[in-house]
């Protein structure tokens, strides 16, 4: 008979356990939600400093206003108000490569660069590694994940603050160090100065916390779930989804079909 | 020109605000994730006691082991490992009436009973109201939401603990009070003693916190998002989804089509 | 050992069967996609007339331009272009009570009215039943599903055409007959003339085909899947999703948080 | 003012158009659902032969029994029976790289090989191109998409049949020709004979029809939507989802948390 081992939730008639602890006695009322999410993903107890960095990342990613994912959640709620789960799920489905993927891409990228490399002893060494990294990306015709922002062109306030918090908690590890060095040296290669964006800094910080790289996007989605609930709460107070729909519908122009427009087959 | 007002995320080149505060300076590193989720949904700052009760609810709902939603997330990840957002969204879509809906149903139910009713002065008065409530449901052939549990037949440990925490924080309001009274009096009407389940207690506690009733299911889904990330993290460490798939696939039996089985048209 | 019986897809190394037939020899190249969808839902072979009515319904529901579901699919694709399945799924999640639910609601409503009722012998009898039905809804303060349309105020061209096709195929059954009678008599009760909308007519036609009432919304979703692929194909040819996003984002106005706006707790 | 051009659905009070045609008069009752889906994706009218190949592909992909996507749809319906759209969307979210992606991967792969290449004049020329292709993949340590099947080891019946239908309709184009040649020559490179699988053949056939490569997975998802409705219809007749859930839940074994299992950070 197949068995499915798990350290997550389990229960007997008298007791519920989660990660080996008594849910009612040891978790409820004692463990913050941010710490719990960290524990669930790592199966270990984080330090208070780790929780602080982790929650700072979640705060940075929770809501960015009327993003596509926020619009999608509001429109889906307009269309199917009976299914809150559908409205949230629809919004999360926009959490792909373009709008929420930078966190994961940046964490993975930094990790790959660091794999098998002897960590440099000082700032000059990190600058050298960063220089090699940016140059290699440029020669391959690729962007450096986490570099550049369409609004915060002179610096993303989340990045500076996250660096500060990580330093305060003594959790400024190799991923953040390499990311910071990339911020210093890239103008020498690219010929212009780009900001280190907050989503990328979040990826570096999560990687330094030792969280599974495959799930970095998952944490962005967890943060965004809280943000999308905020969007729905505001939609309930002062609805705009129908106005958004009408503003699109009202500017539609019918054109003839274009049989030659589609195929590149 | 249509305008879309929002108090949520907004940004200028130098500054990002969230609910009127500076995201980097006032939120990151200072506000826990549970508190942030509360603020996003209510646009107000909760007290520390409110955060504690809210986070206790999230802990109670985060993960219940191999529920349908957990299995769905693992199977979807097996099938489409390139899309974490799809695996999480698929799991959340199971958050409907049967498995995650009790929290919302119970909160709404208690709220409806309390609407327009003068709050009773003491335990005897609450018992009377509860008795009337359970009797009315019974006469209408309906269940009382939050009553009964298929495993914790002699009492759900989460309920007892959530009552305790709410009392400690002086947040044991009318919804919890009515729910507790239902727990005391229902045997007189139903002729048997059922436990007050944890999901129902969570709905009562969230309603007492003044959270929007339409979104109570949303908070269960937020908690579950953390749980589903835990499920994916464990699936990455010790995969079982393929075994689950094979155990179903291997026990399939082909039967002839049954043209008479479907329509009731 | 649990067994899972199914008449759907099954395979041996040499052969694949679907609903008891050889998929390669008896289905591929011989059965149209509309007929196949009908068979999968009913486990029986429809007549050519049934397929024609069914496919007319699917055509009526496939695409209605820039609906919320279409906008959602385009925005999700903009945000996560790596996941076509996510963009389609997000669009389908808008298929709830407000925008795609009329088909199911109308089919179920007509069916409930007809359950246990002796079918009237002629038009006068149907009018009487319809009158009773509309009056009862009005007295209960409820709308009649399928009645009214915000654009086609003088008649929905799909309804007239679907009636015609069902008559041509001798499939104008009791659901369509009652629906048509409601169209004749409702002004006597409501004091104004409303059109029978196409979505409602589709529900009546699907119910007359004997399709499972629980899945009527599912057929609307199947039709819409084809429509959403059309939306994505057009988005690939001449993208508008980013313009839609910018037109929303650009009209955002920051307002202070409103702590009193949310709770009715 | 931004305008959103579209050739898809549009309506005036009197008339609904779809791709420039009158929906009621020219589409309903005249255009099959398969043809309509083709038109929506290409904005052109297919020939009857093109429709036949297209619908054969959809039939081949509609349902493969208790796949992860089918299990997911059934479990989600069990958990949230109030939301058919959620159950279908959840199932489609499994349509990613592993279980439904072969169709897209194979179509794209063949198309890339053919881009910029002079088409060979005869079978020997195609074999040479195929040999070069398989060798290059092997040297790059990559699989050839569409090659191999875990059940139909001696040949996938869908592939043979789809080849036959495409030949009958004179639509056996360069993608199918290259795919067939790969089937002939790969043993010389790989040292073993693998079947050309049906999902891959479908991708080749869709590419030969000139359908947008970015949407090949979309057609697999359209076919699967019909299949998932079939799964739900069968679940309504003879439910198994709860048994599946219990068989997993009942074989769960609690193990202690494993803090060292997760991170590779």
């Amino acid at each position: 008979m197949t068995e499915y081992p798990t350290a997550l939730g389990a229960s007997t008639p008298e007791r519920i356990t989660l990660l080996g602890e008594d849910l009612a006695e040891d978790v409820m009322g004692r463990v913050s939600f941010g710490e719990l999410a960290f524990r669930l993903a790592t199966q270990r107890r984080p330090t208070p400093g780790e929780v602080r960095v982790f929650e700072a990342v979640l705060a940075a990613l929770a809501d960015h206003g009327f993003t596509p994912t926020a619009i999608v959640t509001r429109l889906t709620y307009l269309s199917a108000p009976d299914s809150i789960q559908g409205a949230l799920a629809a919004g999360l489905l926009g959490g792909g490569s373009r709008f929420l993927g930078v966190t994961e891409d940046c964490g993975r990228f930094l990790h790959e660069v660091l794999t098998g490399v002897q960590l440099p002893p000082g700032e000059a060494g990190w600058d050298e590694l960063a220089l090699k990294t940016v140059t290699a990306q440029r020669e391959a015709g690729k962007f450096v994940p986490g570099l550049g922002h369409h609004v915060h062109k002179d610096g993303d306030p989340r990045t500076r603050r996250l660096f500060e918090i990580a330093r305060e908690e003594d959790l400024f590890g190799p991923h953040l160090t390499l990311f910071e060095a990339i911020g210093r040296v890239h103008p020498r290669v690219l010929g212009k100065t780009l900001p280190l964006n907050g989503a990328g800094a979040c990826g570096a910080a999560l990687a330094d916390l030792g969280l599974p790289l495959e799930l970095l996007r998952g944490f962005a989605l967890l943060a965004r779930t809280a943000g999308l609930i905020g969007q729905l709460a505001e939609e309930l107070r002062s609805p705009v989804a129908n106005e958004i729909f009408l503003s699109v519908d009202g500017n539609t122009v019918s054109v003839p079909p274009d049989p030659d427009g589609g195929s590149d087959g």
Side-chain angles (χ1 to χ4, degrees), chain A:
Chain A
M1 176 58 82
T2 313
E3 292 190 334
Y4 308 116
T6 181
L8 299 170
S11 58
T12 64
E14 286 77 33
R15 195 160 175 262
I16 304 173
T17 54
L18 186 63
L19 296 170
E21 297 199 323
D22 187 299
L23 173 66
E25 295 311 314
D26 301 329
V27 182
M28 288 172 66
R30 296 188 201 280
V31 178
S32 76
F33 184 53
E35 176 173 347
L36 181 65
F38 192 109
R39 282 196 197 184
L40 284 163
T42 60
Q43 304 207 350
R44 71 173 175 86
R45 292 191 193 201
T47 64
E50 287 175 321
V51 174
R52 185 163 173 248
V53 172
F54 182 61
E55 294 197 312
V57 166
L58 296 180
L61 299 172
D63 184 81
H64 298 159
F66 282 103
T67 55
T69 62
I71 302 170
V72 159
T73 284
R74 290 192 186 227
L75 285 172
T76 303
Y77 181 73
L78 172 73
S79 197
D82 43 315
S83 169
I84 291 282
Q85 70 269 28
L88 292 176
L92 293 182
L93 289 171
S97 52
R98 269 192 67 183
F99 272 77
L100 276 186
V102 176
T103 298
E104 177 169 334
D105 294 346
C106 188
R108 282 179 183 271
F109 172 75
L110 298 169
H111 192 73
E112 271 165 42
V113 173
L114 292 168
T115 301
V117 160
Q118 179 116 26
L119 295 192
E123 193 170 299
W126 282 104
D127 280 5
E128 199 183 323
L129 179 58
L131 209 53
K132 224 174 70 182
T133 303
V134 179
T135 306
Q137 283 296 102
R138 181 173 211 168
E139 282 169 2
K142 290 185 190 162
F143 291 107
V144 176
L147 208 50
H149 196 284
H150 67 294
V151 173
H152 309 297
K153 293 186 200 299
D154 296 330
D156 186 323
R158 293 166 298 186
T159 303
R160 192 199 51 68
R161 177 69 173 137
L162 196 55
F163 283 7
E164 185 177 84
I165 294 167
R167 285 210 164 88
E168 285 170 11
E169 303 299 339
D170 213 9
L171 287 163
F172 204 90
H175 300 86
L176 281 167
T177 305
L178 175 58
F179 192 57
E180 193 180 37
I182 287 172
R184 277 194 304 270
V185 308
H186 75 270
R188 286 190 245 164
V189 185
L190 305 182
K192 60 182 169 184
T193 302
L194 296 169
L196 295 171
N197 64 47
C202 288
L206 293 174
D208 271 345
L209 290 172
L211 291 162
L213 294 171
E214 299 89 340
L215 296 180
L216 294 195
R217 190 186 296 185
F219 299 110
L221 293 164
L222 173 62
R224 191 49 56 98
T225 304
L228 293 176
I229 290 174
Q231 293 282 339
L232 284 175
E234 194 171 76
E235 179 70 18
L236 285 166
R237 295 151 174 254
S238 47
V240 300
N242 203 47
E243 286 300 311
I244 292 174
F245 161 52
L246 293 175
S247 85
V248 175
D249 194 50
N251 291 312
T252 302
V253 181
S254 275
V255 296
D258 173 17
D260 303 321
S263 166
D264 51 357

